[in-house]
Amino acid sequence: MNIICNVNGREIAVETRPDKKLSALLRDDLNLKGLRKGCGSGRCGSCLILLDDQLVASCLIPAFAARHKNIVTIEGFSQTKEFTDIVTAFKEAGVHLCSYCAPARVLSTAYMLRKHIMPTEEQINDIISSVQCRCSSFSHLKKGIVQASIHFSRRKDNG
Ligand code: FES
Ligand code: FES
């Protein structure tokens, strides 16, 4: 079956099968390797993407469900000012991420800050938990996200 969708700002037509997951379509067919192959069952968060502005685990979504939808992966998101805000904030807060989790961490942070520019502690904890990682410090991540919210707010204030 052929589907049309918008990937990182470009409308594309792509062939898929009913049993293909969106993560496989993006990684294997469209060569968007920023999203990672992880648990394959919605638990680890390494395959997170934005689908019509919702944060979703792409390993749980059939590729055909992306028909006529807007997909943003880290490759597209990295062209935005929000990406620069988050990466800068993480650096300032001393957050060190490996290349395995960084794409999902950045996208999930952006998703939350778009909804809650001044997130509560609970919202921050929830978004941190959406991406599994045992190697970076929780408190650094928290600091990084708070710092990112400051960058988001400043940019909003400056128009
Ligand atoms: S690979 Fe999708 S949540 Fe783990
Ligand atoms: S999995 Fe990437 S820093 Fe822990």
Side-chain angles (χ1 to χ4, degrees):
M1 80 179 60
N2 205 276
I3 61 164
I4 292 177
C5 53
N6 186 302
V7 180
N8 293 329
R10 279 187 44 224
E11 186 125 304
I12 59 157
V14 65
E15 193 60 30
T16 184
R17 299 186 314 266
D19 61 338
K20 185 171 272 194
K21 296 296 186 202
L22 185 53
S23 51
L25 182 90
L26 294 169
R27 270 188 67 86
D28 305 338
D29 300 349
L30 301 179
N31 203 29
L32 294 165
K33 306 284 190 199
L35 67 105
R36 306 299 186 193
K37 275 186 187 159
C39 65
S41 57
R43 285 174 293 110
C44 72
S46 53
C47 67
L48 291 174
I49 58 161
L50 297 173
L51 181 65
D52 275 356
D53 293 327
Q54 295 304 306
L55 187 68
V56 297
S58 56
C59 68
L60 294 180
I61 314 259
F64 66 78
R67 196 170 153 253
H68 300 316
K69 297 206 165 160
N70 288 308
I71 296 166
V72 176
T73 67
I74 196 67
E75 288 83 356
F77 187 73
S78 64
Q79 306 305 312
T80 65
K81 290 189 172 138
E82 291 167 317
F83 174 86
T84 309
D85 284 344
I86 295 170
V87 170
T88 306
F90 281 6
K91 217 182 264 174
E92 288 165 353
V95 176
H96 298 291
L97 297 173
C98 70
S99 62
Y100 190 78
C101 70
R105 184 70 73 201
V106 169
L107 274 179
S108 56
T109 299
Y111 170 73
M112 184 193 61
L113 292 178
R114 281 177 181 177
K115 293 209 309 184
H116 311 287
I117 201 155
M118 286 299 189
T120 63
E121 181 139 11
E122 197 185 346
Q123 287 162 343
I124 293 176
N125 291 347
D126 282 352
I127 210 67
I128 290 177
S129 312
S130 66
V131 181
Q132 270 180 11
C133 162
R134 292 202 184 87
C135 38
S136 59
S137 131
F138 204 86
S139 64
H140 277 97
L141 280 171
K142 262 189 177 169
K143 250 195 238 164
I145 291 174
V146 169
Q147 188 69 7
S149 84
I150 295 169
H151 282 274
F152 265 54
S153 304
R154 267 195 212 137
R155 199 163 38 74
K156 213 173 163 197
D157 290 347
N158 294 336

